[in-house]
Amino acid sequence: APPDLVAAADLRHQAAAACDAKQGSVCLAQLDEARAADPDGDETPAVRTLRSRAIAGILEKPRSPVP
């Protein structure tokens, strides 16, 4: 595979891990970087789902601790 595609796949893998760790902004930054290297790969259902999860995580307000 071309180096750009390998790099993009690696970034998407890291983005998924960031999303799982509730680091939505890190996830989106890595997805954006991967999109720059592989624009077509950004259109896959898996990447779209990952983007949605990251955005939802960013928009989700932290819950206040219950006293």
Side-chain angles (χ1 to χ4, degrees):
D4 285 353
L5 296 183
V6 172
D10 190 48
L11 281 164
R12 291 186 177 112
H13 182 74
Q14 293 174 37
C19 196
D20 289 344
K22 307 286 186 215
Q23 297 173 321
S25 57
V26 173
C27 178
L28 281 181
Q30 289 172 326
L31 288 176
D32 289 346
E33 198 175 332
R35 179 173 55 193
D38 174 28
D40 291 339
D42 201 62
E43 296 300 317
T44 66
V47 173
R48 288 182 175 190
T49 298
L50 203 51
R51 275 191 184 280
S52 296
R53 282 179 54 206
I55 291 167
I58 291 168
L59 295 178
E60 188 178 273
K61 297 194 185 326
R63 292 187 181 92
S64 300
V66 177

